[in-house]
Amino acid sequence: MASLNVIEFEKSIAELDENLSKLRRIVMDQKHPQNTADLPDQLANLEQHRTAIIRAWFSNLTAWDQVLLARHEKRPYTLDYIGHMFTGFQELHGDRLYGDDGAIVAGFAKLDDMPIAIVGHQKGRDIKQRQHRNFGYARPEGYRKAGRIMKLAAKFGVPIVTLIDTPGAAADVSADERGISEAIARNMFDMATLPTPIVSVVIGEGGSGGALGIAVADRVLMLEHSVYSVIAPEGCAAILWRDPEKKADAAKALNLTATRAKELGVVDGVIAEPLGGAHRDWEAAAGSLKEALIENLAQLKDLTGDELVERRYQRFRAIGQFTEIEPIHLNGHASGDAA
Amino acid sequence: MASNGWFGRRSQFTQARASHGAAAIPDGVATKCVKCGEIIFTSDFEKNLKVCTHCGFHHKLSADERIRYTVDEDSFAPLHENLRSVDPLRFPDYQSKLDKGIAATGMHDGIRVGVASVHGVSVVLAVADFSFMAASMGSVAGEKIVRALEEGAARRAPVVIFTASGGARMQEGLLSLMQMAKTSAAAARLAAANIPYVVVMTDATMAGVLASYASLGDITLAEPGALIGFAGARVSAQASTQKAPEGYQTAEWQLLHGQIDQIVARKDLPDTLGSLLQMLGFSPEPTLDDLASEALTEADEEIAAIG
């Protein structure tokens, strides 16, 4: 069993669940020939056992398991969270320059009674949707739409929530043609000085620059089973070891889990997911996320725009690890090992 | 226009990387152009600022060569030379790659920062050295770029950055990724202080560096033929339904798509930078001779007034 990855494990749990629900039907059916007196107890035992197995598995996930979970196709996406947490969502489209990107959604909605600007990556579930959402690979138009809506929010003092879930920004020829690099860079540049609270949450895949392009925030949080990485493990393995199949090793080396991101000081908090992952219980996952948003926005609400911008700058300014030692003498490289 | 010469540029880039440092023929008398393959006398090659005398290809420069070719003689004073990378994730083989980079360049990391003057205009300068782990951006590179941008704001001096990089440095994981945000935020601060920021993109400026501080200049120049793009050739080809167009991800192609202001030959860069900075209101600092003659004039005027 130890050789199963989390998706294979999920399959066996699904089979178990099917059998459990058959048993439950038998227990409910008084006339069923197999409905013996001790069956309810047996069922209860099995259900407890199931929970224990899941708990054991999820307490011992590899980095690669976390990647698979973060990409799980039943995991709630941005619009699912918006549906569960917000009311009155008004989606706003287009970058006013070229087009409308389906891989980023943006608009305004209410979190309880509080108006919020929401920006998030969006993946699709069926083939048609996936094409429309470009598999979550956001294009220049998406970042520029996001920037437009965030600046609009700042203009009227509306707090911003961004939800991160992308394998990476679009990397095709047309993305380059329309300045994908500039679009990402400009958003980070603009977000650094927006005088309104910004909370970003990685809900699934935090894929590199494509993620960070809407994640320069006062608070950056991660869902428990999301990942955040400088490069996809497959890409890292291909470059370093010329072997994309070493993706699990790369995932481990990249330290891309929520726990490690918190330890590195890159994220401020990790939001617990329902046992077995957000995809098992959207309602509960959205409930935890909503609670975290309300808590963090409350902590930011009394800060002035200048204070927010200054703290946000210092927050990112402080990230990085290095030492300061004597300079190398340029006429001889020998002191390079002096540390 | 020699733009035909840049098509097929990518294979040349790969070739240059594969032969890593093999451009110089052993005895150092002759150098082979990594682009056209022509054998050139090294003395001519260096006199020509490492631009091929045959095909005009702009070869990569070390940070020190770049500084020597760009700023007023002896005007460069380095800053923050003592920053050195650590291995925060204990990433496989990272330490040995750092050691190799140090041995190859005599630098602690791929960025040199300092103050200098260009045509008499005081600037804060940052220069990338591609031969240090492809000048990838980890904590040190990000910190040095931020310090350069902050130094510009503090001194009210324009910041000029010569970019080159393979992107964010994988070996520092998320810490590298966050340098994109950190450097972009510092560029935003410099902009808020109304200090000019000039980017000169050199071969190759890619990925996480292109998608952060390299794309945020008030003015963006590029050297001819420089490879400039978001994703590497293989990733881009996988993601694209269309075939890569001719000259894709060259400076010339980026100019055509509105991403850069001007392509400037290496020999013209000091003049262009000096001219642009002066037009933005940054005058040359008076030289010692200027100050002396000014003092003499004042003294003469005073004497005349007394007389």
Side-chain angles (χ1 to χ4, degrees), chain A residues 170-206:
Chain A
D172 59 328
V173 172
S174 70
D176 247 324
E177 277 176 343
R178 301 196 295 278
I180 184 66
S181 303
E182 194 275 346
I184 290 171
R186 189 63 57 191
N187 265 12
M188 295 191 291
F189 179 100
D190 286 337
M191 288 181 87
T193 56
L194 291 180
T196 195
I198 309 176
V199 178
S200 293
V201 186
V202 185
I203 58 170
E205 280 185 281

Side-chain angles (χ1 to χ4, degrees), chain A residues 141-154:
Chain A
E141 303 77 76
Y143 293 100
R144 291 180 179 132
K145 168 169 68 178
R148 184 173 75 84
I149 303 307
M150 291 191 285
K151 280 187 260 184
L152 174 60

Side-chain angles (χ1 to χ4, degrees), chain A residues 6-327:
Chain A
V6 72
I7 300 299
E8 292 157 348
F9 171 73
E10 296 247 302
K11 250 186 220 160
S12 61
I13 289 292
E15 281 165 25
L16 180 61
D17 284 349
E18 209 172 295
N19 289 331
L20 279 173
S21 61
K22 272 184 208 155
L23 271 180
R24 257 180 236 120
R25 276 197 298 275
I26 295 173
V27 169
M28 299 296 280
D29 182 358
Q30 301 293 338
K31 287 173 199 148
H32 198 284
Q34 286 174 294
N35 194 350
T36 55
D38 61 341
L39 195 62
D41 283 347
Q42 278 184 37
L43 178 63
N45 272 341
L46 278 173
E47 280 171 340
Q48 272 180 20
H49 191 55
R50 171 191 176 276
T51 306
I53 294 172
I54 295 177
R55 184 161 288 139
W57 255 88
F58 276 77
S59 64
N60 203 17
L61 294 169
T62 65
W64 179 246
D65 284 332
Q66 296 283 17
V67 172
L68 293 175
L69 276 173
R71 294 174 181 172
H72 200 293
E73 59 180 23
K74 296 207 170 102
R75 212 172 155 78
Y77 297 151
T78 289
L79 285 172
D80 305 318
Y81 281 114
I82 291 175
H84 279 84
M85 299 190 304
F86 291 88
T87 53
F89 179 51
Q90 298 285 351
E91 186 172 358
L92 302 173
H93 292 274
D95 68 349
R96 302 296 183 273
L97 296 163
Y98 179 82
D100 184 40
D101 180 21
I104 288 186
V105 294
F108 289 87
K110 282 193 169 177
L111 185 65
D112 293 338
D113 288 328
M114 190 179 6
I116 300 281
I118 311 160
V119 169
H121 299 101
Q122 182 65 38
K123 294 177 176 175
R125 291 199 189 279
D126 57 33
I127 289 172
K128 214 175 148 190
Q129 274 185 26
R130 281 179 185 161
Q131 274 174 346
H132 172 53
R133 304 296 181 185
N134 202 28
F135 300 86
Y137 291 96
R139 290 166 282 215
E141 303 77 76
Y143 293 100
R144 291 180 179 132
K145 168 169 68 178
R148 184 173 75 84
I149 303 307
M150 291 191 285
K151 280 187 260 184
L152 174 60
K155 182 174 170 184
F156 296 100
V158 178
I160 299 166
V161 168
T162 75
L163 302 180
I164 314 303
D165 190 13
T166 178
D172 59 328
V173 172
S174 70
D176 247 324
E177 277 176 343
R178 301 196 295 278
I180 184 66
S181 303
E182 194 275 346
I184 290 171
R186 189 63 57 191
N187 265 12
M188 295 191 291
F189 179 100
D190 286 337
M191 288 181 87
T193 56
L194 291 180
T196 195
I198 309 176
V199 178
S200 293
V201 186
V202 185
I203 58 170
E205 280 185 281
S208 189
L212 190 57
I214 57 168
V216 178
D218 302 300
R219 294 290 160 79
V220 183
L221 310 171
M222 282 177 78
L223 285 183
E224 186 181 353
H225 299 303
S226 67
V227 293
Y228 200 178
S229 183
V230 66
I231 185 170
E234 292 90 338
C236 177
I239 293 170
L240 281 187
W241 301 306
R242 306 194 180 283
D243 182 4
E245 286 312 305
K246 290 196 171 162
K247 55 205 176 185
D249 295 338
K252 183 164 183 275
L254 285 166
N255 287 255
L256 42 61
T257 64
T259 320
R260 284 299 287 142
K262 173 81 166 61
E263 285 164 4
L264 287 167
V266 169
V267 304
D268 305 293
V270 179
I271 304 166
E273 292 185 23
L275 179 64
H279 56 283
R280 284 176 202 282
D281 190 345
W282 288 12
E283 195 69 47
S288 309
L289 177 52
K290 182 176 177 180
E291 205 177 297
L293 289 179
I294 289 169
E295 185 192 328
N296 280 277
L297 287 168
Q299 288 163 1
L300 298 168
K301 98 176 150 32
D302 293 330
L303 297 173
T304 65
D306 286 347
E307 285 168 338
L308 285 165
V309 169
E310 177 60 23
R311 287 177 190 213
R312 196 179 305 142
Y313 185 75
Q314 297 304 341
R315 183 196 180 283
F316 283 92
R317 180 74 185 79
I319 299 178
Q321 289 183 25
F322 50 83
T323 58
E324 302 202 37
I325 60 159
E326 285 304 300

